[in-house]
Amino acid sequence: MNADARSHPGPTIFNMSASLSSWLAFNRTVGIVLLSVLLFGLGEQLWQPFLPAYLHSQAKDVARSSRIDPIALAWVGLYAFVLNLFEGCCYLFGARITARLGDRGSLLVFGSWTVLGYLVFLAVPHPLATVLAALLILGWEPLSVPVTFTTVGATVSQERRGLAFAWQSIQKRLPKILAPLIAGYVLQAMQERRGEIEGQRLGMNLLVLAALCLALVTLAVQYRWMPKRAPEEDADTPLRAVYARLPPILRRLLAAEILTRWCDWLVREFVVLYVILERGLSFSRMGELMALQHFVALMTYLPIGRLTQQTGLKPFIALTFVFFALFPLVLVSVPNDWLWLAFAVYGLREVGEPARKALITTGIPREIRARGVGLYWSLRTFAISWASLAGAGLWIVGGPDLLFGSAFAFGIVGLLVYLWAWRVSE
């Protein structure tokens, strides 16, 4: 090695680091967004998966009931209905704020809402206050979705966007592996010590307090290190004009997604109730099944993210539709000892998630990307907002078998619509 090489090792190391970052579709801005997704997601998943069971116990306490009844089920359905309406508004509002304030400013605004939600949750132990707090907290993800898409679209090349969204999906999935395990054991321990209602109340408060601390840490990181990005050029484009600029393939994908998300949201908020109250599993066992679900999903992201660069995006999106449809059917078909199979299928439905996001990002013009992403997600969310209310009604009328069978039917129709959309776009 000559003297110049020995005296100037820095550029070589820097170039190697830059090459690795490029190969991984990773950079500083994407890194801060992913860290935010990880920490906010970890806090959210400490309590959110068990919120339907907690609302159910609160409703029973208010009604002085000790059984599953229509009122308690309706509370869960109402919570999910309001959540979807609220999230639909958040997608639009988040897109507008992101377009106007850029990534850093919008993330700080959205994170502050989350902190307020945690404070309301801890201060007022009543079902109505719990739903209000949950809306404020869970609004962070739909508010921040446009930020993620604009960041990846602005800083990552088109052929590597599938891989970038694979990293984002991993950051979302890691908390869903770790947090339900922790939460399940905490709630189980508190329930054994204090009884069902008091134990769940104390356990949820402990978990929400931990989540509040994570949210504050995330805000500090964003404030200190998140780079600023200029607002979008067409921040004031009317929504009708934004929709008109969506390519036909995305409009067809949206129609297929609405049907498949009806399959998902018919049952999503009732899976925990079904497994714990109908099948008789414990909170800790439910936490283990959730962890398995998200571990399976996580294991698909990077391999699929790399494969999308060679084979394209659409085949993996089709697999997502297949597994969405299969989950409710498998869940009601297998005995308790085989419930792990149902939750493995639940995890495999994420196999095409990075590909779907990359397709949407690439299809929406750069100058309206934040508004376009927000509009796409809001239309989908408004369209499926009634699904959980319908799910509660189906359970009340015909039991869980009718509910999960109806979800399977929606999933099959959604798959067929996507296959048609794929064919006509060729």
Side-chain angles (χ1 to χ4, degrees), residues 263-284:
C263 162
D264 180 32
W265 277 93
L266 274 173
V267 303
R268 178 182 291 197
E269 299 302 325
F270 300 101
V271 169
V272 170
L273 293 179
Y274 174 72
V275 172
I276 292 176
L277 301 178
E278 289 287 320
R279 303 292 287 265
L281 272 68
S282 66
F283 278 100
S284 57

Side-chain angles (χ1 to χ4, degrees), residues 162-163 166 297-313 315-317 319-320 348 350-356:
L163 184 57
L298 183 146
M299 295 302 292
T300 69
Y301 289 139
L302 282 183
I304 298 302
R306 295 293 299 172
L307 284 173
T308 57
Q309 299 180 37
Q310 284 80 41
T311 63
L313 304 172
F316 299 106
I317 300 174
L319 285 176
T320 287
L348 286 171
E350 299 289 331
V351 69
E353 186 72 359
R356 182 181 62 86

Side-chain angles (χ1 to χ4, degrees), residues 99-174:
R100 289 183 175 275
L101 299 184
D103 300 339
R104 180 175 179 269
S106 58
L107 284 176
L108 291 173
V109 170
F110 306 153
S112 299
W113 283 24
T114 300
V115 169
L116 176 61
Y118 284 131
L119 294 175
V120 172
F121 193 110
L122 292 170
V124 188
H126 187 276
L128 286 174
T130 299
V131 170
L132 173 61
L135 293 178
L136 290 171
I137 298 166
L138 298 177
W140 187 86
E141 182 174 348
L143 286 168
S144 65
V145 161
V147 177
T148 304
F149 279 75
T150 56
T151 298
V152 172
T155 63
V156 179
S157 62
Q158 178 175 329
E159 67 275 8
R160 298 192 183 278
R161 288 172 186 167
L163 184 57
F165 281 113
W167 282 113
Q168 186 252 0
S169 296
I170 288 173
Q171 297 300 85
K172 288 181 64 177
R173 208 58 51 183
L174 276 173

Side-chain angles (χ1 to χ4, degrees), residues 61-368:
D61 187 35
V62 171
R64 297 295 187 264
S65 172
S66 59
R67 60 186 179 87
I68 302 177
D69 56 32
I71 293 177
L73 286 174
W75 263 111
V76 176
L78 179 63
Y79 150 72
F81 168 69
V82 175
L83 175 62
N84 273 304
L85 288 181
F86 180 73
E87 286 189 346
C89 295
C90 286
Y91 284 123
L92 291 176
F93 180 72
R96 179 171 289 275
I97 294 298
T98 300
R100 289 183 175 275
L101 299 184
D103 300 339
R104 180 175 179 269
S106 58
L107 284 176
L108 291 173
V109 170
F110 306 153
S112 299
W113 283 24
T114 300
V115 169
L116 176 61
Y118 284 131
L119 294 175
V120 172
F121 193 110
L122 292 170
V124 188
H126 187 276
L128 286 174
T130 299
V131 170
L132 173 61
L135 293 178
L136 290 171
I137 298 166
L138 298 177
W140 187 86
E141 182 174 348
L143 286 168
S144 65
V145 161
V147 177
T148 304
F149 279 75
T150 56
T151 298
V152 172
T155 63
V156 179
S157 62
Q158 178 175 329
E159 67 275 8
R160 298 192 183 278
R161 288 172 186 167
L163 184 57
F165 281 113
W167 282 113
Q168 186 252 0
S169 296
I170 288 173
Q171 297 300 85
K172 288 181 64 177
R173 208 58 51 183
L174 276 173
K176 295 181 179 182
I177 296 173
L178 300 174
L181 280 174
I182 298 169
Y185 284 110
V186 168
L187 290 170
Q188 187 71 27
M190 292 298 101
Q191 187 169 282
E192 290 173 357
R193 292 183 182 183
R194 299 293 185 92
E196 178 186 353
I197 294 175
E198 180 62 22
Q200 285 193 47
R201 186 192 65 79
L202 180 59
M204 287 291 282
N205 282 345
L206 290 173
L207 295 169
V208 166
L209 182 60
L212 172 60
C213 295
L214 288 171
L216 292 172
V217 170
T218 309
L219 282 175
V221 170
Q222 291 169 351
Y223 181 78
R224 176 63 178 83
W225 286 291
M226 182 72 184
K228 293 183 178 180
R229 187 179 63 84
E232 285 188 352
E233 298 172 9
D234 296 343
D236 295 321
T237 302
L239 291 178
R240 182 175 297 179
V242 172
Y243 181 79
R245 296 182 67 179
L246 295 181
I249 181 58
L250 292 192
R251 299 184 197 179
R252 299 185 189 112
L253 177 63
L254 176 60
E257 271 211 83
I258 287 171
L259 290 165
T260 294
R261 297 292 170 168
W262 260 82
C263 162
D264 180 32
W265 277 93
L266 274 173
V267 303
R268 178 182 291 197
E269 299 302 325
F270 300 101
V271 169
V272 170
L273 293 179
Y274 174 72
V275 172
I276 292 176
L277 301 178
E278 289 287 320
R279 303 292 287 265
L281 272 68
S282 66
F283 278 100
S284 57
R285 179 59 178 155
M286 185 66 212
E288 292 168 359
L289 289 172
M290 289 179 179
L292 171 66
Q293 166 198 338
H294 298 300
F295 178 77
V296 169
L298 183 146
M299 295 302 292
T300 69
Y301 289 139
L302 282 183
I304 298 302
R306 295 293 299 172
L307 284 173
T308 57
Q309 299 180 37
Q310 284 80 41
T311 63
L313 304 172
K314 295 175 183 176
F316 299 106
I317 300 174
L319 285 176
T320 287
F321 282 86
V322 170
F323 288 116
F324 262 106
L326 285 178
F327 169 68
L329 180 65
V330 176
L331 183 64
V332 296
S333 302
V334 299
N336 282 3
D337 290 343
W338 283 83
L339 280 174
W340 63 269
L341 178 61
F343 282 84
V345 171
Y346 210 8
L348 286 171
R349 69 182 190 156
E350 299 289 331
V351 69
E353 186 72 359
R356 182 181 62 86
K357 291 178 178 178
L359 179 64
I360 294 170
T361 302
T362 302
I364 298 176
R366 177 189 58 81
E367 61 273 12
I368 60 161

